[in-house]
Amino acid sequence: MLKQGGLHIPSRILMGPGPSDVAPAVLQAMSNPLLGHLDPAFLAIMNEIMEQLRLVFVTENQLTMPMSGTGSAGMETAFVNTLEPGDVIVIGVNGVFGQRMVDVAERCGATVVRVDATWGEAIQPEQIQAALQQQAKVKAVAIVQAETSTGVWQPLAEISRLAHDHDALFIVDSVTALGGIPVDVDANQIDVCYSGTQKCISAPPGLAPVTFNQRAVSVFQHRKVKVQSWYLDLNMIQSYWGSERLYHHTAPISMNYALHEALSAILREGLDQCHQRHALLGKALQTGLVAMGVGMQVEEAIRLPQLTAAIIPEGVNDLAVRKQLLEEFGIEIGGGLGVLKGKIWRVGLMGHSCQQKNVLTFLAAMANILKRQGCKIDAGAAIDAAMAVSSGV
Ligand SMILES: Cc1ncc(COP(=O)(O)O)c(C=O)c1O
């Protein structure tokens, strides 16, 4: 029988691949009274969000705003607006989200040229160059900056240059990157960039910030066929977020309150300081795990700080460890996906979850659980190592 009496949400520390913890001020922002989606007071909030997003994406792009939907809606927005049937797109695939890009681009009727790398490694510019050289005309090159399924930090500058040398748009997935590591849309000459609210921005899942430069805007303004998706058609959505204020769909009002508050928090901290916090605490977590005898899947030069892929030690039961972490310590982490299923744990330190006390609590909990699974673990060494890196945060 259906139990009455409201929700009972257990207490958790969200250290998985997303969503991350949300600060109390962001939750409180959501409990404000609703405004109508054309109320001047709400329109002013929308303007501020666009301004805040420009600061966080580090761009001057006029078309910078949150789409209604999770990060995947941002991905679809990027592809449905720029791709027409028959267009050729080169996509880097070194994990689940590169694969998802392929699926979305194919649904747009595009011809996808896949550039694959081993999961846990970066896509090399030479691979992109080789793919571009084999095509007469390429509409876009797309890549994931922070591959959440592997923990790889994909360098962008060289691939951006190659895309532009071939007159292609450069599309970047910054769902796990934005707020955690520099995305620098204008400096990296990214034509289309999309993100999500539920990772390092630390608002609940439900909005997908996107930014398109003038070159990309002109692409969807001059399409031969209509954008396949009515809901994500920027030609229409722009008229609501821009000066015309034409109704398209009802904006998710409370989610926008949350995003405003979450972006305010990042800007109050300072974007650079926010990146430094992620860098330092990510390093502390990784140093602590290594000190405990747990290996890293990704080499240090391309390892994300906000998402650590830790190799599951021989003989350890993946599911049992994650269950104990959740049930005994209230800590959520993620398992591996695809070829890395059962081989790695994915430990997130994103946004409001990225705090020293969470690093230390997680290391102590993991050490305790691994000991009980028969591993020889020096918990003290792990904590000392993490403290040495992160003291002063
Ligand atoms: C890199 C990347 N892209 C896209 C997505 C899709 O975002 P969502 O699950 O919010 O739709 C995710 C989610 O984990 C992601 O990590």
Side-chain angles (χ1 to χ4, degrees):
M1 212 178 64
L2 184 64
K3 276 200 215 149
Q4 303 297 338
L7 287 171
H8 297 284
I9 309 297
S11 162
R12 299 281 189 245
I13 303 174
L14 297 182
M15 294 182 71
S20 57
D21 282 334
V22 171
V26 174
L27 295 175
Q28 272 160 21
M30 293 181 78
S31 66
N32 277 300
L34 287 186
L35 289 168
H37 60 277
L38 291 172
D39 186 312
F42 185 66
L43 300 181
I45 292 171
M46 289 166 68
N47 287 345
E48 285 178 11
I49 290 174
M50 290 190 282
E51 204 43 54
Q52 292 171 319
L53 283 175
R54 284 187 198 103
L55 293 171
V56 173
F57 273 123
V58 195
T59 182
E60 303 275 316
N61 290 344
Q62 187 60 29
L63 200 171
T64 303
M65 64 194 197
M67 299 295 289
S68 307
T70 62
S72 303
M75 187 186 287
E76 296 235 35
T77 302
F79 291 109
V80 295
N81 283 280
T82 53
L83 296 179
E84 296 193 55
D87 283 343
V88 175
I89 179 168
V90 172
I91 300 181
V93 182
N94 55 349
V96 166
F97 296 101
Q99 258 174 3
R100 187 175 298 181
M101 280 178 160
V102 170
D103 191 357
V104 173
E106 283 175 350
R107 287 164 194 253
C108 298
T111 302
V112 176
V113 179
R114 273 178 77 122
V115 171
D116 279 274
T118 306
W119 290 29
E121 291 175 13
I123 307 282
Q124 299 306 318
E126 305 78 59
Q127 297 177 272
I128 299 284
Q129 168 81 317
L132 285 166
Q133 275 167 349
Q134 279 164 21
Q135 304 297 324
K137 176 100 195 82
V138 174
K139 184 74 164 287
V141 173
I143 205 120
V144 180
Q145 188 185 5
E147 187 36 271
T148 328
S149 60
T150 64
V152 166
W153 181 342
Q154 174 67 48
L156 300 178
E158 189 57 16
I159 296 177
S160 173
R161 191 184 63 72
L162 290 169
H164 295 124
D165 282 354
H166 288 77
D167 205 22
L169 293 172
F170 185 43
I171 301 178
V172 172
D173 175 317
S174 71
V175 172
T176 287
L178 197 68
I181 55 174
V183 177
D184 289 338
V185 166
D186 288 358
N188 280 311
Q189 298 190 23
I190 302 171
D191 299 293
V192 177
C193 192
Y194 61 86
S195 191
T197 45
Q198 51 137 326
K199 314 269 185 175
C200 300
I201 301 293
S202 260
L207 289 175
V210 299
T211 184
F212 281 56
N213 67 12
Q214 208 36 55
R215 192 164 160 242
V217 168
S218 139
V219 165
F220 70 70
Q221 281 175 338
H222 295 99
R223 292 173 62 98
K224 291 191 214 65
V225 298
K226 271 188 175 179
V227 172
Q228 300 88 317
S229 162
W230 179 89
Y231 196 63
L232 302 176
D233 185 343
L234 287 174
N235 287 298
M236 293 189 283
I237 292 174
Q238 230 187 345
S239 303
Y240 172 54
W241 282 83
S243 52
E244 290 169 75
R245 303 299 186 182
L246 268 183
Y247 164 70
H248 177 258
H249 65 272
T250 311
I253 307 291
S254 313
M255 277 305 305
N256 277 286
Y257 297 164
L259 178 58
H260 187 286
E261 183 54 41
L263 291 170
S264 297
I266 291 176
L267 295 171
R268 273 198 303 272
E269 179 179 7
L271 188 60
D272 288 346
Q273 281 84 345
C274 188
H275 293 155
Q276 275 166 29
R277 173 168 52 87
H278 284 87
L280 197 67
L281 291 175
K283 182 136 183 74
L285 173 83
Q286 292 162 6
T287 310
L289 281 167
V290 170
M292 188 194 294
V294 175
M296 297 289 106
Q297 176 72 23
V298 177
E299 65 165 297
E300 198 172 354
I302 53 162
R303 194 186 297 155
L304 289 169
Q306 70 272 45
L307 194 283
T308 298
I311 299 171
I312 300 174
E314 281 280 314
V316 166
N317 183 328
D318 170 20
L319 282 180
V321 168
R322 283 190 280 138
K323 190 165 183 278
Q324 276 176 301
L325 267 177
L326 192 69
E327 288 178 359
E328 296 174 10
F329 298 90
I331 298 176
E332 176 183 278
I333 65 165
L337 297 175
V339 290
L340 294 175
K341 191 169 168 30
K343 300 202 169 120
I344 59 165
W345 290 307
R346 293 180 302 145
V347 188
L349 270 182
M350 301 181 191
H352 190 63
S353 295
C354 182
Q355 300 187 36
Q356 189 191 39
K357 65 178 184 193
N358 288 348
V359 172
L360 301 176
T361 306
F362 166 77
L363 288 172
M366 189 55 125
N368 175 276
I369 292 170
L370 288 179
K371 245 187 203 166
R372 284 189 276 152
Q373 287 230 5
C375 298
K376 277 209 158 72
I377 294 287
D378 186 346
I383 303 285
D384 287 351
M387 274 292 217
V389 175
S390 64
S391 55
V393 178

